[in-house]
Amino acid sequence: MKGEKKKRIVKTIKIDVDKCNGCRACEVICSAFHATPKYSSNNPERSRIRLMRDPIRDVYVPVYAGEYAASECMGRDKYVIDGKEYDECGFCRAACSSRKLFKEPDSGLPLKCDMCEGEEQPLCVKWCINDALVCEEREAEGDEEPKPQDVEAGLESLIDRYGRQTVLDTLARISKRD
Ligand code: SF4
Ligand code: SF4
């Protein structure tokens, strides 16, 4: 019916840092799943989940790659939880210019968790034998269309890296192929 909002399933991965022992199995399976061809290699640098790991302080924080940020923050956060001090930007999910995290090592393009599109369950969740990662699903109302800002973020990062004209020339060349 016109005006009626569509229902969609929202997946959330609940992270229990107290259960994480830093084994990094999540990084291994994520990078293998996203290798080309699939499962042909694994390199944590290509993983969409990274582990902030400091065994001496007993700090293990799995962090998922989120949105691309064109510039770094002017202010930074530092958290202290249960007496443990976490690194500056420790919980931040952004691929930004202040650090190497969540960037494809060869191209420098930002990485973002896609919830293992096409798989029944996120693979990092499946591989975490400590149940530090748990996937929850709920129904929500909303727009199912892809968000234009996701496309914009990808294009902006390409322009940052290769320049506007190169990106425009490449798009013009690709669009002539069909
Ligand atoms: S697989 Fe689980 S326990 Fe191992 S590092 Fe990842 S989140 Fe932590
Ligand atoms: S849900 Fe899939 S894409 Fe996202 S971090 Fe986990 S393994 Fe990688």
Side-chain angles (χ1 to χ4, degrees):
M1 200 189 294
K2 203 178 171 191
E4 198 175 298
K5 291 209 168 179
K6 290 176 190 160
K7 297 270 185 202
R8 63 192 169 93
I9 299 295
V10 176
K11 285 187 185 176
T12 306
I13 297 176
K14 198 163 81 182
I15 304 160
D16 187 338
V17 292
D18 290 331
K19 288 185 178 169
C20 175
N21 67 358
C23 71
R24 304 181 78 178
C26 49
E27 292 182 345
V28 169
I29 188 61
C30 181
S31 65
F33 178 69
H34 290 92
T36 312
K38 237 175 222 185
Y39 302 114
S40 59
S41 64
N42 85 72
N43 174 357
E45 301 253 318
R46 293 201 168 89
S47 173
R48 276 83 167 149
I49 179 169
R50 294 308 307 271
L51 199 72
M52 306 303 126
R53 196 170 176 277
D54 184 347
I56 292 170
R57 292 188 297 135
D58 190 31
V59 167
Y60 304 104
V61 185
V63 182
Y64 284 87
E67 300 299 329
Y68 167 73
S71 58
E72 59 188 283
C73 302
M74 295 305 284
R76 305 282 170 91
D77 297 321
K78 205 169 214 186
Y79 287 83
V80 179
I81 303 170
D82 286 340
K84 285 184 206 170
E85 187 171 303
Y86 292 85
D87 285 348
E88 205 176 71
C89 311
F91 293 93
C92 180
R93 304 179 59 200
C96 92
S97 53
S98 73
R99 56 185 187 178
K100 275 171 63 187
L101 203 67
F102 302 138
K103 286 179 194 149
E104 213 287 325
D106 300 324
S107 64
L109 290 173
L111 300 171
K112 186 180 173 190
C113 168
D114 58 7
M115 286 280 185
C116 294
E117 212 172 355
E119 293 293 303
E120 216 170 277
Q121 196 187 4
L123 294 174
C124 53
V125 170
K126 212 166 163 181
W127 273 50
C128 180
I129 56 168
N130 297 311
D131 292 333
L133 310 174
V134 175
C135 185
E136 295 175 340
E137 290 187 5
R138 66 185 159 83
E139 207 174 63
E141 282 186 347
D143 193 355
E144 282 184 337
E145 297 302 314
K147 294 190 204 107
Q149 59 265 37
D150 290 345
V151 180
E152 271 172 37
L155 281 173
E156 274 167 17
S157 73
L158 285 170
I159 289 168
D160 283 352
R161 187 165 175 84
Y162 298 107
R164 186 174 302 273
Q165 198 52 52
T166 308
V167 173
L168 287 174
D169 291 346
T170 309
L171 282 173
R173 200 175 60 246
I174 291 170
S175 59
K176 276 187 201 150
R177 276 187 201 156
D178 296 328

